Amino acid sequence: MTLLRIPVECHYCKTNIERRNALTVKNTENKQLFQCFSCFRQNLTRAGAPGKANLYCERCRYKFTSSKLRCPYCNQFDAVIKAEVKLKDLI
């Protein structure tokens, strides 16, 4: 199985990165925006949380708090987003 190397642009620093190395950031318009890992880490430290953030895996629908950018349930990183997910959003 070959993964496609689709180039996307980081919403914050405007650099081109591969889709498999990007995090999905959602906005109020439900438009998919992408973020590189370095911008994600910088935003975490600015937010005041020392390395931990509320994350959500869209693949397995698992909500967790972690400093690692991998889902602890399915061990994947391409569907992990930084989000405040409520229970009614999951249903």
Side-chain angles (χ1 to χ4, degrees), residues 3 6 11 14-15 18-20 22 26 29-30 33-34 38 43 45 50 54 57 63 68 76 82-83 87 91:
L3 293 175
I6 301 169
H11 178 69
K14 306 296 184 204
T15 59
E18 292 181 11
R19 169 63 181 102
R20 64 185 177 130
K26 294 200 177 179
E29 300 170 355
N30 290 331
L33 301 174
F34 300 102
S38 61
N43 289 339
T45 56
N54 291 328
C57 180
K63 180 182 173 186
K68 297 180 181 178
Q76 299 293 321
K82 181 171 57 170
L87 184 59
I91 297 176

Side-chain angles (χ1 to χ4, degrees), residues 11-12 19 22-35 40 43 54-59 61 78-85 89-90:
H11 178 69
Y12 297 98
R19 169 63 181 102
L23 293 171
T24 306
V25 179
K26 294 200 177 179
N27 58 7
T28 56
E29 300 170 355
N30 290 331
K31 184 178 173 184
Q32 276 197 342
L33 301 174
F34 300 102
Q35 182 178 20
F40 178 75
N43 289 339
N54 291 328
L55 302 171
Y56 175 71
C57 180
E58 291 180 329
R59 175 176 288 132
R61 299 171 64 179
D78 59 341
V80 174
I81 60 172
K82 181 171 57 170
E84 294 292 329
V85 180
D89 296 336
L90 297 175

Side-chain angles (χ1 to χ4, degrees), residues 10 12-13 23 35-49 51 69 82:
C10 176
Y12 297 98
C13 65
L23 293 171
Q35 182 178 20
C36 64
F37 289 121
S38 61
C39 289
F40 178 75
R41 286 191 183 109
Q42 287 176 359
N43 289 339
L44 280 179
T45 56
R46 283 187 207 141
L69 302 176
K82 181 171 57 170

